[in-house]
Coordinates of all heavy atoms in Angstrom, one line a residue:
F954 N 21.2 -52.1 5.4 CA 21.9 -50.9 5.1 C 23.3 -51.0 5.7 O 23.5 -51.5 6.8 CB 21.2 -49.7 5.7 CG 22.0 -48.5 5.7 CD1 22.3 -47.8 4.5 CD2 22.6 -48.0 6.9 CE1 23.0 -46.6 4.5 CE2 23.4 -46.8 6.9 CZ 23.6 -46.2 5.7
S955 N 24.3 -50.6 4.9 CA 25.7 -50.5 5.5 C 26.4 -49.2 5.0 O 26.0 -48.7 3.9 CB 26.5 -51.7 5.1 OG 26.7 -51.8 3.7
A956 N 27.3 -48.8 5.8 CA 27.9 -47.4 5.5 C 28.5 -47.3 4.1 O 28.4 -46.3 3.5 CB 28.9 -47.1 6.6
E957 N 29.1 -48.4 3.6 CA 29.8 -48.3 2.3 C 28.8 -48.1 1.2 O 29.3 -47.6 0.1 CB 30.8 -49.4 2.1 CG 30.2 -50.8 1.9 CD 30.0 -51.5 3.2 OE1 30.1 -50.9 4.3 OE2 29.8 -52.7 3.2
Q958 N 27.5 -48.4 1.4 CA 26.6 -48.2 0.3 C 26.4 -46.7 -0.1 O 26.0 -46.3 -1.1 CB 25.2 -48.7 0.7 CG 25.1 -50.2 0.8 CD 23.9 -50.7 1.6 OE1 23.1 -49.9 2.0 NE2 23.8 -52.1 1.7
V959 N 26.8 -45.9 0.9 CA 26.6 -44.5 0.7 C 27.8 -43.9 -0.1 O 27.6 -42.8 -0.8 CB 26.6 -43.8 2.1 CG1 26.6 -42.3 2.0 CG2 25.3 -44.2 2.8
R960 N 28.9 -44.6 -0.1 CA 30.1 -44.0 -0.6 C 30.0 -43.5 -2.1 O 30.3 -42.4 -2.4 CB 31.3 -44.9 -0.5 CG 32.6 -44.3 -0.7 CD 33.8 -45.1 -0.2 NE 33.6 -45.6 1.1 CZ 33.9 -46.8 1.6 NH1 34.3 -47.7 0.7 NH2 33.7 -47.1 2.8
N961 N 29.4 -44.3 -2.9 CA 29.4 -44.0 -4.4 C 28.1 -43.5 -4.9 O 27.8 -43.7 -6.1 CB 29.9 -45.2 -5.2 CG 31.3 -45.5 -4.9 OD1 32.2 -44.6 -4.7 ND2 31.6 -46.8 -4.7
V962 N 27.3 -42.8 -4.1 CA 26.0 -42.3 -4.6 C 26.0 -40.8 -4.4 O 26.8 -40.2 -3.7 CB 24.8 -42.9 -3.9 CG1 24.8 -44.4 -4.1 CG2 24.9 -42.6 -2.4
F963 N 25.1 -40.2 -5.2 CA 24.9 -38.7 -5.1 C 23.9 -38.3 -4.0 O 24.1 -37.3 -3.4 CB 24.5 -38.2 -6.5 CG 25.6 -38.2 -7.5 CD1 25.9 -39.4 -8.2 CD2 26.3 -37.1 -7.7 CE1 26.9 -39.4 -9.1 CE2 27.4 -37.1 -8.6 CZ 27.7 -38.3 -9.3
L964 N 22.9 -39.1 -3.9 CA 21.8 -38.7 -2.9 C 21.5 -40.0 -2.1 O 21.6 -41.1 -2.6 CB 20.5 -38.3 -3.6 CG 20.5 -37.1 -4.5 CD1 19.1 -36.9 -5.0 CD2 20.9 -35.8 -3.7
V965 N 21.0 -39.7 -0.9 CA 20.6 -40.8 0.0 C 19.2 -40.5 0.5 O 18.9 -39.4 0.9 CB 21.5 -41.0 1.2 CG1 21.1 -42.2 2.0 CG2 23.0 -41.2 0.7
I966 N 18.3 -41.5 0.3 CA 17.0 -41.3 0.9 C 16.6 -42.4 1.8 O 16.8 -43.6 1.5 CB 15.9 -41.3 -0.3 CG1 16.2 -40.1 -1.2 CG2 14.5 -41.2 0.2 CD1 15.7 -40.2 -2.6
A967 N 16.2 -42.1 3.0 CA 15.8 -43.1 4.0 C 14.3 -43.1 4.1 O 13.7 -42.1 4.4 CB 16.4 -42.8 5.3
A968 N 13.7 -44.2 3.8 CA 12.2 -44.3 3.7 C 11.7 -45.6 4.5 O 11.0 -46.3 3.9 CB 11.7 -44.3 2.3
T969 N 12.3 -45.8 5.7 CA 11.8 -46.9 6.4 C 11.0 -46.5 7.6 O 11.0 -45.3 7.9 CB 13.0 -47.7 7.0 OG1 13.5 -47.0 8.1 CG2 14.1 -47.9 6.0
D970 N 10.3 -47.4 8.3 CA 9.5 -47.0 9.4 C 10.3 -47.3 10.7 O 9.8 -47.3 11.8 CB 8.1 -47.6 9.5 CG 8.1 -49.1 9.2 OD1 9.3 -49.7 9.3 OD2 7.1 -49.6 8.9

Side-chain angles (χ1 to χ4, degrees):
F954 169 72
S955 63
E957 68 271 14
Q958 289 164 2
V959 170
R960 195 164 309 136
N961 294 319
V962 297
F963 286 81
L964 297 180
V965 180
I966 295 158
T969 77
D970 48 15

